[in-house]
Amino acid sequence: MAGFIELMLERFKVYREPGYYKRFDYWWAMVIDLDRCTGCGACVTACQAENNTPVVGEEECGKGRNLSWIRIERYIEGEYPNVKVKFIPVLCPQCDRAPCEVACPVYATYHNQDGLNVQVYNRCVGTFTCATYCPYDVRRFNWFTYNKKNFLKGNGGSSTSFEPPLDQQLNPDVSVREMGVMEKCTFCIQRIRAAKDRAKDENRPIRDGEIQPACVQTCPTKALTFGDLNNPKSRIAQLAGLSTAGDLHYLRESGSKISDISSNPRTYRLLEDLNAAPTIFYLKRVMKNGSSTAGHE
Amino acid sequence: MKKFLVYVIVGVVTFTIGYNVNLIYFPDLSPKQPINFSHKIHAGDNSIPCQYCHIYADKSTVSGVPNVQRCIGCHKIIKQDAPEIQKLQGYWDRKETIPWVKVYNLPDFVYFSHKRHVKAGVPCQRCHGDVAKMDRITRQAVLFGIPYARVSPLKMGWCLDCHTNGAKEFIGMQVKNGRDCWTCHK
């Protein structure tokens, strides 16, 4: 037991000693430009299709058991003629100091070398602790084995997922989760893995923009951008205003606020005061004062 | 002495039951194939390289079962009159694929790429055993004529043997990010 704790501490140190991020090749991050987001929900659908996420149906959703890894939050301000609607797509921000990783009793969620917050489905025992600790409410729990035929109907549910011929559209690169397993956004790890595979064949690092998670790929207004933050020339580093190496140092090691570091005044991170250091950077929506409708801000 | 005898009898009975249960309930170790294809004749006696038939081994995640045309390519000349080749000819004439039975089956949650392993220089025999000596592909390892254990257990600990530090003896270097869960799990 003591050996296990020592091993865990040793591995924890690897990710927390000064300059640790420089030893790793990539640091995947995302920039979401809220000025471009129209709240169409295409990313939600794309994520559902890409990651074998079951459609649980109305009744289950009513119980708060919805299984979408990305959601569009709506904020409606004002009374009828002067209504403003704001959208924020929220997905797992792969926090650098993630509260969920501290919580897991079986070490099923941890931080890997690419700055991703890993969820290992095989190791998960479903204690729900990570979802309780998550300040963004992006972790989703499989209350049933949704891929079993007629399972939900037998349990009084209104829909089934993946019954033939729908099982033919399952993504073979993503496992179908079973009951009692926590799941969340993986930044489409299967696409990252495929890109790494290609890059290794051609003996080169992964190019900027080569990886597109499903939500990024499908966004009609290109509000979402995905890339490597360790590379200061990448598109997301430019967009987030973190184009010098010193910025990353501040961001990852001193825990500074993004507004103090970033050269882009629009950059912010969701619930930054909680100090979880999420790696999704939102660009604020610029609104004109006194506008009347959502379409003409 | 009597006690010893009881131990021996109980031991033998338990072993026999266990052995038969293993054979009956885990039949996937050497499943019967639709055609009695012998790797011993092809890969062993005639020393055809693995990738002559399994052409995707260094190009794709799966090594690929050869199509019927690849078999017919040689067998329209070689040993046409043998009964097993007649079966093959039947599949070819009916334009059917041969329903080969998969022996090495990994679970759904594992990502395994043949390409990465072949290109890194891991020999096929490391996981699949000495196929050149097998008449029918089997996962049953044999020691002094007695079946014991497996050719490769296909368990996570066995994978990690290489992925942590054992890879040095096969490919001469350590596996990069070998201990990261998302290297293999998906």
Side-chain angles (χ1 to χ4, degrees):
Chain A
M1 194 61 203
F4 178 68
I5 291 167
E6 270 167 28
L7 185 75
M8 273 186 71
L9 284 175
E10 189 190 307
R11 293 197 59 188
F12 187 75
K13 240 195 266 174
V14 169
Y15 296 103
R16 289 297 175 264
E17 66 198 12
Y20 67 99
Y21 60 91
K22 286 175 194 155
R23 290 192 284 115
F24 302 129
D25 299 340
Y26 308 105
W27 181 20
W28 304 120
M30 195 182 276
V31 169
I32 298 177
D33 192 342
L34 295 180
D35 231 354
R36 286 166 173 251
C37 179
T38 58
C40 65
C43 46
V44 181
T45 317
C47 180
Q48 204 103 17
E50 169 77 16
N51 290 304
N52 296 347
T53 323
V55 180
V56 293
E58 208 175 318
E59 205 165 302
E60 291 285 303
C61 273
K63 291 174 186 165
R65 294 172 180 175
N66 55 327
L67 265 167
S68 54
W69 290 1
I70 176 169
R71 67 178 189 273
I72 309 276
E73 290 205 344
R74 288 178 300 180
Y75 294 95
I76 300 166
E77 290 174 1
E79 289 294 314
Y80 162 57
N82 302 313
V83 182
K84 277 182 191 168
V85 187
K86 297 172 182 173
F87 302 106
I88 299 181
V90 181
L91 58 153
C92 176
Q94 319 283 347
C95 307
D96 216 17
R97 287 183 286 277
C100 54
E101 290 166 15
V102 187
C104 186
V106 291
Y107 208 46
T109 176
Y110 71 98
H111 223 68
N112 82 345
Q113 72 282 342
D114 290 349
L116 291 175
N117 182 233
V118 175
Q119 176 72 23
V120 191
Y121 304 129
N122 299 73
R123 209 182 266 170
C124 180
V125 294
T127 60
F128 219 91
T129 328
C130 49
T132 318
Y133 277 39
C134 179
Y136 303 96
D137 191 20
V138 287
R139 287 181 162 265
R140 295 282 174 260
F141 192 69
N142 282 281
W143 291 94
F144 302 106
T145 306
Y146 292 103
N147 62 336
K148 267 191 192 160
K149 202 181 169 187
N150 291 333
F151 188 84
L152 283 178
K153 271 181 189 154
N155 276 276
S158 51
S159 78
T160 58
S161 278
F162 312 143
E163 65 180 27
L166 286 179
D167 56 345
Q168 299 288 322
Q169 55 100 43
L170 289 172
N171 187 349
D173 295 333
V174 183
S175 57
V176 181
R177 279 82 56 186
E178 286 185 354
M179 180 170 69
V181 170
M182 193 60 77
E183 59 184 54
K184 66 165 197 72
C185 170
T186 62
F187 270 173
C188 284
I189 181 70
Q190 65 278 12
R191 297 189 179 201
I192 296 173
R193 200 186 279 130
K196 275 187 179 173
D197 215 37
R198 275 198 303 276
K200 204 165 184 181
D201 281 344
E202 294 162 22
N203 206 4
R204 58 168 172 84
I206 295 177
R207 292 190 201 104
D208 187 31
E210 190 178 349
I211 304 168
Q212 279 191 319
C215 50
V216 177
Q217 187 186 13
T218 197
C219 185
T221 53
K222 300 271 176 291
L224 287 77
T225 320
F226 182 79
D228 173 24
L229 209 57
N230 263 1
N231 173 13
K233 284 177 190 148
S234 68
R235 185 162 161 72
I236 60 149
Q238 305 287 335
L239 279 174
L242 299 164
S243 38
T244 60
D247 292 340
L248 290 185
H249 173 79
Y250 283 123
L251 196 66
R252 285 200 107 165
E253 281 169 20
S254 66
S256 319
K257 280 202 151 195
I258 188 83
S259 50
D260 301 338
I261 308 163
S262 172
S263 58
N264 187 347
R266 287 168 62 211
T267 314
Y268 77 103
R269 292 189 286 185
L270 219 56
L271 300 178
E272 197 175 21
D273 292 342
L274 297 177
N275 205 19
T279 48
I280 290 184
F281 303 95
Y282 289 87
L283 303 184
K284 273 176 208 162
R285 183 163 207 179
V286 183
M287 300 178 97
K288 202 196 280 177
N289 288 328
S291 59
S292 58
T293 55
H296 299 282
E297 282 163 4
Chain B
M1 188 61 204
K2 215 175 176 183
K3 210 174 172 184
F4 178 71
L5 206 68
V6 170
Y7 280 155
V8 168
I9 290 168
V10 168
V12 167
V13 167
T14 322
F15 176 79
T16 321
I17 292 171
Y19 181 68
N20 284 302
V21 163
N22 200 26
L23 275 189
I24 293 161
Y25 292 101
F26 301 95
D28 59 326
L29 288 180
S30 45
K32 199 173 184 313
Q33 303 288 356
I35 293 177
N36 270 336
F37 176 85
S38 171
H39 274 87
K40 193 182 174 190
I41 295 171
H42 290 81
D45 301 347
N46 296 311
S47 50
I48 301 169
C50 305
Q51 287 182 37
Y52 183 77
C53 297
H54 301 283
I55 50 172
Y56 303 114
D58 64 340
K59 298 184 189 74
S60 170
T61 50
V62 291
S63 65
V65 173
N67 52 14
V68 186
Q69 190 174 13
R70 190 156 288 269
C71 306
I72 282 291
C74 291
H75 278 292
K76 64 183 170 193
I77 302 161
I78 301 164
K79 252 196 163 182
Q80 271 264 299
D81 48 344
E84 294 299 321
I85 310 297
Q86 292 295 321
K87 268 196 222 170
L88 171 72
Q89 191 68 40
Y91 282 113
W92 174 249
D93 291 340
R94 276 175 274 134
K95 297 190 175 172
E96 282 175 12
T97 50
I98 308 171
W100 296 112
V101 183
K102 199 174 181 185
V103 181
Y104 285 83
N105 215 351
L106 284 174
D108 182 36
F109 49 77
V110 174
Y111 167 83
F112 175 83
S113 171
H114 269 93
K115 175 169 86 172
R116 277 277 72 80
H117 288 82
V118 171
K119 283 199 172 179
V122 181
C124 308
Q125 287 80 3
R126 168 70 183 153
C127 306
H128 292 287
D130 202 353
V131 171
K133 284 179 187 157
M134 294 177 193
D135 258 333
R136 191 201 290 174
I137 284 290
T138 177
R139 284 186 56 208
Q140 182 76 66
V142 176
L143 183 71
F144 305 124
I146 307 160
Y148 90 110
R150 306 279 182 269
V151 170
S152 49
L154 300 186
K155 296 266 190 274
M156 188 176 139
W158 173 77
C159 292
L160 278 174
D161 275 352
C162 266
H163 270 238
T164 46
N165 41 30
K168 267 183 189 157
E169 62 179 281
F170 296 106
I171 61 174
M173 58 175 183
Q174 276 210 322
V175 181
K176 200 181 179 189
N177 304 335
R179 289 167 89 165
D180 182 28
C181 302
W182 269 356
T183 305
C184 308
H185 285 278
K186 61 186 187 184

Short mmCIF file of all heavy atoms in Angstrom, two decimals, chain A residues 25 110 112-113 117-122 172-173 175-176 186 189 193 197 200-201, chain B residues 61 108-109 111 113 115-116 119 156 173 176-177 179-186:
data_model
loop_
_atom_site.label_atom_id
_atom_site.label_comp_id
_atom_site.label_asym_id
_atom_site.label_seq_id
_atom_site.Cartn_x
_atom_site.Cartn_y
_atom_site.Cartn_z
N ASP A 25 5.14 16.77 -25.90
CA ASP A 25 5.10 17.31 -27.25
C ASP A 25 3.92 18.24 -27.46
O ASP A 25 4.02 19.24 -28.16
CB ASP A 25 5.00 16.16 -28.26
CG ASP A 25 6.21 15.25 -28.16
OD1 ASP A 25 7.22 15.72 -27.63
OD2 ASP A 25 6.14 14.11 -28.61
N TYR A 110 -7.31 10.83 -14.76
CA TYR A 110 -6.00 11.40 -14.47
C TYR A 110 -5.60 12.30 -15.62
O TYR A 110 -6.30 12.37 -16.64
CB TYR A 110 -4.95 10.29 -14.26
CG TYR A 110 -4.59 9.57 -15.52
CD1 TYR A 110 -3.45 9.91 -16.25
CD2 TYR A 110 -5.40 8.57 -16.03
CE1 TYR A 110 -3.14 9.28 -17.43
CE2 TYR A 110 -5.10 7.93 -17.19
CZ TYR A 110 -3.95 8.27 -17.89
OH TYR A 110 -3.66 7.66 -19.06
N ASN A 112 -3.06 13.21 -18.60
CA ASN A 112 -2.01 12.53 -19.34
C ASN A 112 -1.03 13.54 -19.92
O ASN A 112 -1.13 14.74 -19.70
CB ASN A 112 -2.60 11.59 -20.40
CG ASN A 112 -2.99 12.27 -21.68
OD1 ASN A 112 -3.09 13.48 -21.74
ND2 ASN A 112 -3.21 11.50 -22.70
N GLN A 113 -0.05 13.03 -20.65
CA GLN A 113 1.08 13.86 -21.06
C GLN A 113 0.67 14.91 -22.08
O GLN A 113 1.40 15.87 -22.29
CB GLN A 113 2.20 12.98 -21.60
CG GLN A 113 1.95 12.35 -22.95
CD GLN A 113 1.03 11.15 -22.88
OE1 GLN A 113 0.84 10.60 -21.82
NE2 GLN A 113 0.45 10.80 -24.00
N ASN A 117 -7.52 15.37 -19.85
CA ASN A 117 -8.09 14.79 -18.66
C ASN A 117 -8.72 13.46 -19.05
O ASN A 117 -9.76 13.41 -19.67
CB ASN A 117 -9.13 15.77 -18.10
CG ASN A 117 -9.75 15.29 -16.83
OD1 ASN A 117 -10.95 15.22 -16.72
ND2 ASN A 117 -8.93 14.94 -15.89
N VAL A 118 -8.02 12.38 -18.71
CA VAL A 118 -8.39 11.07 -19.22
C VAL A 118 -9.46 10.43 -18.34
O VAL A 118 -9.38 10.51 -17.12
CB VAL A 118 -7.15 10.16 -19.25
CG1 VAL A 118 -7.52 8.77 -19.67
CG2 VAL A 118 -6.12 10.73 -20.18
N GLN A 119 -10.43 9.82 -18.96
CA GLN A 119 -11.39 8.99 -18.24
C GLN A 119 -11.21 7.56 -18.74
O GLN A 119 -11.40 7.28 -19.92
CB GLN A 119 -12.81 9.49 -18.50
CG GLN A 119 -13.89 8.64 -17.88
CD GLN A 119 -13.93 8.78 -16.38
OE1 GLN A 119 -13.49 9.78 -15.84
NE2 GLN A 119 -14.44 7.78 -15.71
N VAL A 120 -10.82 6.67 -17.86
CA VAL A 120 -10.64 5.27 -18.24
C VAL A 120 -11.90 4.51 -17.88
O VAL A 120 -12.19 4.29 -16.71
CB VAL A 120 -9.42 4.66 -17.51
CG1 VAL A 120 -9.09 3.31 -18.10
CG2 VAL A 120 -8.24 5.57 -17.60
N TYR A 121 -12.64 4.11 -18.90
CA TYR A 121 -13.94 3.49 -18.65
C TYR A 121 -13.79 2.15 -17.94
O TYR A 121 -14.63 1.77 -17.13
CB TYR A 121 -14.69 3.28 -19.97
CG TYR A 121 -14.86 4.54 -20.78
CD1 TYR A 121 -14.51 4.59 -22.12
CD2 TYR A 121 -15.37 5.68 -20.19
CE1 TYR A 121 -14.66 5.74 -22.85
CE2 TYR A 121 -15.53 6.83 -20.92
CZ TYR A 121 -15.17 6.85 -22.25
OH TYR A 121 -15.31 7.99 -22.98
N ASN A 122 -12.73 1.43 -18.25
CA ASN A 122 -12.57 0.11 -17.65
C ASN A 122 -12.30 0.18 -16.16
O ASN A 122 -12.60 -0.73 -15.42
CB ASN A 122 -11.41 -0.62 -18.31
CG ASN A 122 -11.65 -0.83 -19.77
OD1 ASN A 122 -11.58 0.12 -20.53
ND2 ASN A 122 -11.96 -2.03 -20.16
N PRO A 172 -16.36 2.59 -34.69
CA PRO A 172 -15.56 1.48 -34.18
C PRO A 172 -14.37 1.93 -33.34
O PRO A 172 -13.79 1.13 -32.61
CB PRO A 172 -15.09 0.77 -35.45
CG PRO A 172 -15.16 1.80 -36.51
CD PRO A 172 -16.28 2.71 -36.15
N ASP A 173 -13.98 3.20 -33.45
CA ASP A 173 -12.81 3.67 -32.71
C ASP A 173 -13.15 4.11 -31.29
O ASP A 173 -12.27 4.51 -30.55
CB ASP A 173 -12.17 4.85 -33.46
CG ASP A 173 -11.61 4.42 -34.79
OD1 ASP A 173 -11.26 3.24 -34.90
OD2 ASP A 173 -11.53 5.24 -35.71
N SER A 175 -15.27 2.99 -27.76
CA SER A 175 -15.98 1.88 -27.14
C SER A 175 -17.38 2.32 -26.74
O SER A 175 -17.61 3.48 -26.41
CB SER A 175 -15.21 1.37 -25.93
OG SER A 175 -15.02 2.41 -25.02
N VAL A 176 -18.30 1.36 -26.74
CA VAL A 176 -19.66 1.64 -26.29
C VAL A 176 -19.70 1.38 -24.79
O VAL A 176 -19.40 0.29 -24.33
CB VAL A 176 -20.65 0.73 -27.03
CG1 VAL A 176 -22.07 1.03 -26.58
CG2 VAL A 176 -20.53 0.93 -28.52
N THR A 186 -13.65 13.74 -24.65
CA THR A 186 -12.26 13.28 -24.71
C THR A 186 -11.42 14.12 -25.68
O THR A 186 -10.31 13.74 -26.00
CB THR A 186 -12.20 11.83 -25.18
OG1 THR A 186 -12.76 11.77 -26.49
CG2 THR A 186 -12.97 10.92 -24.27
N ILE A 189 -10.36 11.72 -28.76
CA ILE A 189 -9.04 11.09 -28.64
C ILE A 189 -8.74 10.17 -29.81
O ILE A 189 -7.58 10.03 -30.24
CB ILE A 189 -8.96 10.31 -27.30
CG1 ILE A 189 -7.59 9.65 -27.09
CG2 ILE A 189 -10.04 9.27 -27.19
CD1 ILE A 189 -6.50 10.60 -26.82
N ARG A 193 -5.37 10.29 -31.90
CA ARG A 193 -4.55 9.09 -32.04
C ARG A 193 -4.27 8.79 -33.51
O ARG A 193 -3.14 8.44 -33.88
CB ARG A 193 -5.31 7.92 -31.41
CG ARG A 193 -4.45 6.76 -31.04
CD ARG A 193 -5.30 5.62 -30.58
NE ARG A 193 -5.72 5.72 -29.21
CZ ARG A 193 -6.98 5.59 -28.81
NH1 ARG A 193 -7.95 5.39 -29.68
NH2 ARG A 193 -7.29 5.67 -27.54
N ASP A 197 -0.70 8.78 -35.42
CA ASP A 197 -0.31 7.63 -36.21
C ASP A 197 0.24 8.06 -37.58
O ASP A 197 1.31 7.64 -37.99
CB ASP A 197 -1.55 6.74 -36.40
CG ASP A 197 -1.19 5.28 -36.41
OD1 ASP A 197 -0.29 4.90 -35.66
OD2 ASP A 197 -1.82 4.53 -37.17
N LYS A 200 3.54 9.92 -37.22
CA LYS A 200 4.67 9.04 -36.93
C LYS A 200 5.14 8.32 -38.19
O LYS A 200 6.33 8.09 -38.39
CB LYS A 200 4.27 8.03 -35.87
CG LYS A 200 5.45 7.48 -35.10
CD LYS A 200 5.00 6.78 -33.85
CE LYS A 200 6.19 6.32 -33.03
NZ LYS A 200 5.80 5.62 -31.82
N ASP A 201 4.18 7.98 -39.06
CA ASP A 201 4.54 7.34 -40.32
C ASP A 201 5.41 8.27 -41.16
O ASP A 201 6.36 7.83 -41.81
CB ASP A 201 3.28 7.00 -41.13
CG ASP A 201 2.64 5.74 -40.61
OD1 ASP A 201 3.33 5.01 -39.88
OD2 ASP A 201 1.47 5.49 -40.93
N THR B 61 -4.63 -0.84 -39.08
CA THR B 61 -4.75 -1.35 -37.72
C THR B 61 -4.96 -2.86 -37.73
O THR B 61 -4.52 -3.54 -36.81
CB THR B 61 -5.94 -0.68 -37.01
OG1 THR B 61 -7.08 -0.79 -37.85
CG2 THR B 61 -5.67 0.77 -36.73
N ASP B 108 -13.54 -4.95 -27.26
CA ASP B 108 -14.00 -3.77 -27.97
C ASP B 108 -13.32 -2.50 -27.49
O ASP B 108 -13.15 -1.55 -28.25
CB ASP B 108 -15.52 -3.67 -27.78
CG ASP B 108 -16.12 -2.51 -28.52
OD1 ASP B 108 -15.62 -2.23 -29.63
OD2 ASP B 108 -17.06 -1.89 -28.02
N PHE B 109 -12.91 -2.48 -26.22
CA PHE B 109 -12.39 -1.24 -25.67
C PHE B 109 -10.89 -1.06 -25.87
O PHE B 109 -10.29 -0.15 -25.32
CB PHE B 109 -12.74 -1.15 -24.17
CG PHE B 109 -12.40 -2.39 -23.39
CD1 PHE B 109 -11.10 -2.66 -23.03
CD2 PHE B 109 -13.39 -3.29 -23.03
CE1 PHE B 109 -10.80 -3.80 -22.32
CE2 PHE B 109 -13.10 -4.42 -22.32
CZ PHE B 109 -11.79 -4.68 -21.96
N TYR B 111 -7.66 -0.36 -28.32
CA TYR B 111 -7.17 0.08 -29.62
C TYR B 111 -5.84 -0.61 -29.85
O TYR B 111 -4.92 -0.44 -29.06
CB TYR B 111 -7.01 1.60 -29.63
CG TYR B 111 -6.23 2.12 -30.82
CD1 TYR B 111 -6.86 2.33 -32.03
CD2 TYR B 111 -4.87 2.39 -30.72
CE1 TYR B 111 -6.15 2.80 -33.12
CE2 TYR B 111 -4.16 2.86 -31.80
CZ TYR B 111 -4.81 3.06 -33.00
OH TYR B 111 -4.10 3.52 -34.07
N SER B 113 -3.03 -1.35 -33.00
CA SER B 113 -2.68 -1.09 -34.39
C SER B 113 -1.58 -2.03 -34.81
O SER B 113 -0.48 -2.01 -34.26
CB SER B 113 -2.23 0.36 -34.52
OG SER B 113 -1.72 0.58 -35.79
N LYS B 115 -0.10 -1.86 -37.63
CA LYS B 115 0.88 -1.03 -38.34
C LYS B 115 1.97 -0.53 -37.41
O LYS B 115 3.16 -0.67 -37.70
CB LYS B 115 0.13 0.16 -38.95
CG LYS B 115 1.03 1.17 -39.62
CD LYS B 115 0.22 2.14 -40.42
CE LYS B 115 -0.26 3.28 -39.55
NZ LYS B 115 -0.88 4.33 -40.37
N ARG B 116 1.55 0.03 -36.27
CA ARG B 116 2.53 0.60 -35.33
C ARG B 116 3.49 -0.47 -34.83
O ARG B 116 4.68 -0.24 -34.69
CB ARG B 116 1.81 1.23 -34.14
CG ARG B 116 1.32 2.62 -34.38
CD ARG B 116 2.39 3.68 -34.16
NE ARG B 116 3.42 3.71 -35.19
CZ ARG B 116 3.29 4.30 -36.37
NH1 ARG B 116 2.19 4.92 -36.68
NH2 ARG B 116 4.26 4.27 -37.24
N LYS B 119 5.76 -1.81 -37.80
CA LYS B 119 6.75 -0.80 -38.19
C LYS B 119 7.80 -0.58 -37.11
O LYS B 119 8.93 -0.20 -37.41
CB LYS B 119 6.05 0.52 -38.50
CG LYS B 119 5.39 0.50 -39.86
CD LYS B 119 5.12 1.90 -40.35
CE LYS B 119 4.64 1.84 -41.78
NZ LYS B 119 4.34 3.14 -42.31
N MET B 156 -3.92 -7.33 -20.16
CA MET B 156 -3.30 -6.01 -20.09
C MET B 156 -1.89 -6.04 -19.49
O MET B 156 -0.99 -5.37 -19.97
CB MET B 156 -4.19 -5.09 -19.27
CG MET B 156 -3.74 -3.65 -19.30
SD MET B 156 -4.89 -2.62 -18.41
CE MET B 156 -3.78 -1.55 -17.56
N MET B 173 14.21 0.23 -28.08
CA MET B 173 13.93 1.49 -27.39
C MET B 173 12.64 1.33 -26.59
O MET B 173 11.89 0.38 -26.77
CB MET B 173 13.77 2.63 -28.38
CG MET B 173 12.69 2.40 -29.40
SD MET B 173 12.47 3.82 -30.43
CE MET B 173 11.11 3.31 -31.43
N LYS B 176 7.04 5.03 -26.37
CA LYS B 176 6.72 6.39 -25.96
C LYS B 176 5.29 6.43 -25.42
O LYS B 176 4.38 5.91 -26.05
CB LYS B 176 6.85 7.32 -27.18
CG LYS B 176 7.02 8.76 -26.79
CD LYS B 176 7.12 9.61 -28.04
CE LYS B 176 7.26 11.06 -27.64
NZ LYS B 176 7.14 11.93 -28.80
N ASN B 177 5.13 7.06 -24.27
CA ASN B 177 3.83 7.14 -23.60
C ASN B 177 3.20 5.75 -23.43
O ASN B 177 2.00 5.60 -23.54
CB ASN B 177 2.84 8.03 -24.39
CG ASN B 177 3.39 9.40 -24.62
OD1 ASN B 177 4.23 9.87 -23.87
ND2 ASN B 177 2.95 10.03 -25.68
N ARG B 179 2.72 3.96 -20.93
CA ARG B 179 1.89 3.71 -19.75
C ARG B 179 0.65 4.57 -19.72
O ARG B 179 -0.15 4.47 -18.80
CB ARG B 179 2.72 3.97 -18.49
CG ARG B 179 3.75 2.89 -18.29
CD ARG B 179 4.74 3.30 -17.26
NE ARG B 179 4.30 2.89 -15.93
CZ ARG B 179 5.12 2.87 -14.89
NH1 ARG B 179 6.36 3.19 -15.03
NH2 ARG B 179 4.70 2.49 -13.72
N ASP B 180 0.47 5.40 -20.70
CA ASP B 180 -0.73 6.22 -20.74
C ASP B 180 -1.92 5.33 -21.11
O ASP B 180 -1.86 4.55 -22.06
CB ASP B 180 -0.56 7.33 -21.78
CG ASP B 180 -1.76 8.23 -21.81
OD1 ASP B 180 -2.42 8.34 -20.77
OD2 ASP B 180 -2.03 8.83 -22.86
N CYS B 181 -3.00 5.44 -20.35
CA CYS B 181 -4.15 4.57 -20.59
C CYS B 181 -4.72 4.74 -21.99
O CYS B 181 -5.12 3.80 -22.64
CB CYS B 181 -5.25 4.85 -19.57
SG CYS B 181 -4.74 4.64 -17.88
N TRP B 182 -4.72 6.01 -22.44
CA TRP B 182 -5.34 6.28 -23.73
C TRP B 182 -4.45 5.92 -24.92
O TRP B 182 -4.81 6.19 -26.05
CB TRP B 182 -5.78 7.75 -23.81
CG TRP B 182 -7.17 7.94 -23.34
CD1 TRP B 182 -8.03 6.95 -22.94
CD2 TRP B 182 -7.88 9.16 -23.22
NE1 TRP B 182 -9.23 7.50 -22.58
CE2 TRP B 182 -9.17 8.85 -22.73
CE3 TRP B 182 -7.57 10.49 -23.46
CZ2 TRP B 182 -10.13 9.82 -22.50
CZ3 TRP B 182 -8.53 11.44 -23.23
CH2 TRP B 182 -9.79 11.11 -22.75
N THR B 183 -3.28 5.35 -24.64
CA THR B 183 -2.51 4.79 -25.75
C THR B 183 -3.23 3.58 -26.33
O THR B 183 -3.24 3.38 -27.54
CB THR B 183 -1.11 4.42 -25.27
OG1 THR B 183 -0.52 5.57 -24.67
CG2 THR B 183 -0.24 3.94 -26.40
N CYS B 184 -3.82 2.77 -25.46
CA CYS B 184 -4.46 1.54 -25.91
C CYS B 184 -5.97 1.52 -25.68
O CYS B 184 -6.70 0.93 -26.45
CB CYS B 184 -3.86 0.34 -25.22
SG CYS B 184 -2.09 0.27 -25.32
N HIS B 185 -6.42 2.13 -24.60
CA HIS B 185 -7.87 2.12 -24.34
C HIS B 185 -8.54 3.23 -25.13
O HIS B 185 -7.94 4.26 -25.40
CB HIS B 185 -8.14 2.28 -22.85
CG HIS B 185 -7.86 1.04 -22.07
ND1 HIS B 185 -8.76 0.01 -21.97
CD2 HIS B 185 -6.78 0.65 -21.38
CE1 HIS B 185 -8.23 -0.95 -21.23
NE2 HIS B 185 -7.03 -0.59 -20.87
N LYS B 186 -9.77 2.98 -25.48
CA LYS B 186 -10.46 4.00 -26.26
C LYS B 186 -11.86 4.23 -25.72
O LYS B 186 -12.36 3.46 -24.92
CB LYS B 186 -10.51 3.60 -27.72
CG LYS B 186 -11.26 2.29 -27.97
CD LYS B 186 -11.15 1.88 -29.40
CE LYS B 186 -12.05 0.68 -29.68
NZ LYS B 186 -11.95 0.13 -30.98
#
